[in-house]
Amino acid sequence: MVSRPTVENAGPLEAIEAYFANGWTDGLPIVPPTEAAVREFVQRAGRDAQEVLLTVSETNRQCTVEAAAINAVMAGCRPEYFPVVVAALEGWADKRWGLGDRNYFYISIASTGGSGQLLIVNGPIRNEISMNYGVNVFGAGNRANATIGRTMRLILLNVLGMTPGVFDMSVQGHPGKYSYCIAENEEESPWEPLHVEKGFAPDESTVTVVGARGPVPVGGSGNLPVGGAESTRPEGVLELFARVAKTARSHAGTMVVAMCPQHAEAIAKHGWTKRQVKEYLFEHTKEPLTDEEWERVAQMGQRRGSSLGADKLVQTVDGVHYRLTFRAPEDVLLVVAGGNNGFFSSVISNWSYWIPEGDYIIKPIKT
Amino acid sequence: MHNATQIEKRGTPAAVICTKPFAQTGAAMAKRQGYSSYRIVLIDHPVSNLSREQVQERARQALPQVLAIALGNGDILEA
């Protein structure tokens, strides 16, 4: 009897090539998932291996704890990262995504709009697993950020069957579809961090999930309104964010504003709170519409139905029709991220991430 | 496609209309739902940026195929 090749008895290069041959990768080499490694990850989660964490009915697939663990090993995670993955999967399974219509989770991955799945980690686990929330926060170089984000993509590809060109029909996609995981720079933020804002204790850890397009840059020497105004007037800083947010917006309301510590400090030193920042961006990202645009937006609202809140993205004041970027101030999902070494931030519009206003999908990480 | 297969499973015929670049997606999803060769109405791409008149033209393109499925002509399903 010829024994079946396994990752245990194959050489690592042979195993890696076998995974490529089967299409079980994101295009990069994987770590061969031995049974012992997978078992350790499952134990770390403290969950039953066969517990189903997520079901995607469109592809008729489910993700169990064990399947998630296999992909976490493949992505290069350490076992102590795995609770973040489990909590993020619970976020993906949340019924608020799509305001009760779970099709929207599938659409957020499959749609031509090309979104990735962003994770934002808060709380003590950021430091316990040495995540990067400072310089180059969206970039390469940190194992936890890179491999947790990669795990989520491998789960979409290998477990949930979201094959590019078949089920994932993104016109362009974006680099965050390899890995899209950051942590908030709580240490250099002048404001309460995201999880505390949403009612968690500072010593709790959480992960927030967002169906998200790529980061769109805010700031840089080419688009400062007035050189000195940036640091002397909160409105000067926020006008930059408002301009970019208006062009980056999607059809839905929630947008991540990933503000660098210097931009945040330039605003907060004038006593501005997070709430004030959100209100300013809500008010200053409204655009008057032409009659032709109004007609089209109205048609879109009718087609999508008010249950998804599309009707809240238009507003009529004194006979003038406005298109809104946010449904309400709470749609501004404000976090501080990046290095304290320059004025460079990002806004990230969501895609098919219809959730209740201000009710971000944020899950506790159980370690 | 997902909705259509759910409707079919309740015994009501459905017609799925895809633009041509999504033919493979539709077929793959039907297969995942247990239909190995689900018939899909194909129309030209795109749709989202068309005028009302152009959308009506797409509908005229789809109509004979939709009727054929609704009237049970042709091999529609293999569950």
Side-chain angles (χ1 to χ4, degrees):
Chain A
M1 183 178 160
V2 179
S3 66
R4 194 166 57 90
T6 66
V7 292
E8 278 79 8
N9 65 26
L13 289 178
E14 189 186 348
I16 287 167
E17 288 301 330
Y19 275 70
F20 273 122
N22 283 294
W24 297 334
T25 90
D26 50 7
L28 296 168
I30 55 85
V31 174
T34 61
E35 284 190 26
V38 171
R39 203 176 309 122
E40 188 181 355
F41 276 56
V42 170
Q43 282 168 355
R44 183 65 73 134
R47 311 282 280 259
D48 184 87
Q50 297 313 312
E51 181 184 347
V52 174
L53 294 169
L54 174 67
T55 299
V56 176
S57 58
E58 290 82 354
T59 56
N60 201 20
R61 295 283 180 88
Q62 294 182 324
C63 182
T64 61
V65 172
E66 182 180 56
I70 291 168
N71 283 273
V73 175
M74 288 166 63
C77 281
R78 291 185 54 79
E80 57 267 33
Y81 306 169
F82 190 54
V84 182
V85 171
V86 171
L89 285 168
E90 289 175 332
W92 283 2
D94 195 296
K95 288 187 167 54
R96 288 172 293 174
W97 194 312
L99 297 170
D101 183 350
R102 285 290 301 168
N103 272 321
Y104 281 91
F105 175 71
Y106 167 79
I107 295 168
S108 75
I109 304 153
S111 168
T112 50
S115 71
Q117 301 294 334
L118 174 64
L119 271 51
I120 304 168
V121 179
N122 277 99
I125 197 166
R126 296 166 309 124
N127 290 321
E128 290 161 10
I129 63 173
S130 303
M131 291 190 76
N132 179 26
Y133 41 79
V135 171
N136 205 35
V137 66
F138 284 102
N142 178 279
R143 181 173 178 179
N145 295 36
T147 61
I148 292 169
R150 188 187 185 202
T151 300
M152 303 311 288
R153 178 54 48 183
L154 287 177
I155 288 170
L156 291 172
L157 293 168
N158 295 333
V159 184
L160 301 175
M162 297 302 301
T163 316
V166 182
F167 284 99
D168 176 351
M169 291 295 282
S170 303
V171 173
Q172 292 195 322
H174 65 76
K177 293 184 71 168
Y178 281 97
S179 180
Y180 210 11
C181 176
I182 64 168
E184 180 163 12
N185 190 342
E186 299 176 18
E187 285 73 1
E188 293 184 293
S189 171
W191 299 306
E192 73 278 18
L194 181 65
H195 67 310
V196 175
E197 180 191 338
K198 300 311 291 182
F200 291 90
D203 63 354
E204 287 181 280
S205 294
T206 63
V207 61
T208 304
V209 297
V210 188
R213 298 201 286 179
V216 181
V218 179
S221 55
N223 60 1
L224 293 175
V226 183
E230 182 173 55
S231 57
T232 57
R233 217 165 48 87
E235 294 89 341
V237 182
L238 286 172
E239 192 51 40
L240 271 177
F241 284 84
R243 276 191 219 166
V244 179
K246 279 190 282 192
T247 56
R249 72 179 160 216
S250 67
H251 47 70
T254 311
M255 191 181 289
V256 176
V257 173
M259 196 176 281
C260 70
Q262 283 190 203
H263 271 146
E265 180 55 30
I267 297 164
K269 72 181 182 185
H270 297 280
W272 281 44
T273 63
K274 269 181 124 172
R275 177 72 198 178
Q276 284 172 289
V277 171
K278 290 170 184 238
E279 284 172 356
Y280 184 95
L281 291 177
F282 171 66
E283 289 298 335
H284 291 82
T285 50
K286 299 176 181 177
E287 284 187 309
L289 295 169
T290 64
D291 289 345
E292 190 183 348
E293 288 170 332
W294 169 244
E295 172 67 18
R296 185 156 178 80
V297 168
Q299 281 176 16
M300 288 286 283
Q302 283 160 9
R303 280 209 299 270
R304 293 181 188 285
S306 59
S307 63
L308 284 175
D311 54 329
K312 292 181 181 169
L313 290 176
V314 289
Q315 191 179 59
T316 302
V317 180
D318 297 332
V320 179
H321 304 301
Y322 293 89
R323 178 172 180 150
L324 276 57
T325 300
F326 304 102
R327 295 167 298 181
E330 294 79 10
D331 271 350
V332 180
L333 199 166
L334 176 60
V335 291
V336 173
N340 200 2
N341 60 335
F343 288 101
F344 296 95
S345 297
S346 307
V347 297
I348 304 170
S349 61
N350 84 77
W351 197 254
S352 297
Y353 182 72
W354 296 97
I355 57 169
E357 287 166 21
D359 193 13
Y360 318 137
I361 298 182
I362 179 167
K363 295 288 179 184
I365 298 167
K366 296 161 195 146
T367 55
Chain B
M1 175 58 78
H2 183 237
N3 291 340
T5 55
Q6 300 304 307
I7 292 167
E8 294 278 6
K9 283 172 183 170
R10 291 181 200 144
T12 304
V16 172
I17 304 172
C18 285
T19 63
K20 287 170 184 170
F22 293 90
Q24 193 189 359
T25 309
M29 189 181 288
K31 205 166 279 183
R32 291 267 176 90
Q33 303 300 327
Y35 296 97
S36 58
S37 59
Y38 196 92
R39 185 164 151 185
I40 298 171
V41 176
L42 292 179
I43 59 172
D44 290 332
H45 195 81
V47 169
S48 62
N49 63 344
L50 299 184
S51 67
R52 187 179 295 269
E53 292 71 28
Q54 289 169 317
V55 171
Q56 285 168 345
E57 185 50 45
R58 291 282 197 279
R60 273 189 284 276
Q61 190 183 5
L63 185 61
Q65 302 173 71
V66 173
L67 285 176
I69 290 173
L71 296 172
N73 302 328
D75 53 333
I76 298 163
L77 289 177
E78 274 180 39

